[in-house]
Amino acid sequence: MTKKHKDSRNSENIELSLPINPAYVSAARLTASTIANRMKFDTDEIEDVKAAVSEGCAYLIKRASPGIHAMFKIIFTVNGVNLRIDLVSNFESLPVSDEEDMSILMIKALMDSAEITNGDDGTISLFMEKAHKEVKFG
């Protein structure tokens, strides 16, 4: 289910809830691509955003217990030239060292900033942000 609403700071939030299933990562990538394209990101920036969203989804999916029927949310926040993407689990995750995780390294390389927080209840929140960099000639 996708929800869209504006808040008082002139930003737009688009929420996508997906099951813990790799088959739905393409829906997250398509949504990310559409939003980045609408923000006038160039092709390379759009590809970076799509790849980072894929890696974020993979990160959450890897940490779900096998056979779990849970959901996770992706919240896209558009504020001017900034795109913030939050991935939030609603399930207790399996423990893994974040520092050595390839998905996290990829996200940090592709995006301007990224951060992971682990909740006391075992849930994971991952945020990433990218600013559209306008190229001016002459």
Side-chain angles (χ1 to χ4, degrees):
M1 172 178 233
T2 303
K3 290 194 259 180
K4 180 178 175 183
H5 62 279
K6 287 191 175 194
D7 70 14
S8 60
R9 296 175 302 220
N10 293 325
S11 65
E12 293 182 337
N13 296 319
I14 301 97
E15 268 186 46
L16 187 64
S17 293
L18 297 173
I20 296 297
N21 183 334
Y24 294 101
V25 173
S26 60
R29 284 177 54 88
L30 179 60
T31 303
S33 177
T34 301
I35 293 166
N37 187 49
R38 186 176 154 270
M39 293 177 69
K40 307 239 186 289
F41 279 29
D42 66 29
T43 303
D44 290 337
E45 291 171 323
I46 293 170
E47 290 303 317
D48 288 351
V49 169
K50 286 171 33 182
V53 166
S54 291
E55 292 297 332
C57 291
Y59 181 82
L60 292 181
I61 291 168
K62 284 189 287 193
R63 273 140 194 82
S65 297
I68 192 171
H69 297 290
M71 304 284 283
F72 68 99
K73 273 189 198 175
I74 305 175
I75 304 158
F76 300 90
T77 303
V78 177
N79 193 351
V81 298
N82 294 315
L83 174 59
R84 178 183 168 118
I85 304 167
D86 292 89
L87 290 93
V88 182
S89 72
N90 69 349
F91 56 87
E92 188 172 336
S93 64
L94 299 173
V96 174
S97 171
D98 292 338
E99 292 303 316
E100 298 173 12
D101 190 276
M102 184 58 78
S103 291
I104 299 307
L105 295 174
M106 291 287 295
I107 291 167
K108 288 181 176 180
L110 294 165
M111 303 296 278
D112 296 334
S113 61
E115 184 178 319
I116 302 164
T117 56
N118 295 299
D120 293 336
D121 56 357
T123 59
I124 302 170
S125 295
L126 167 64
F127 96 85
M128 57 188 91
E129 199 164 41
K130 190 156 192 85
H132 173 44
K133 293 161 183 62
E134 247 182 276
V135 178
K136 295 186 181 188
F137 298 98

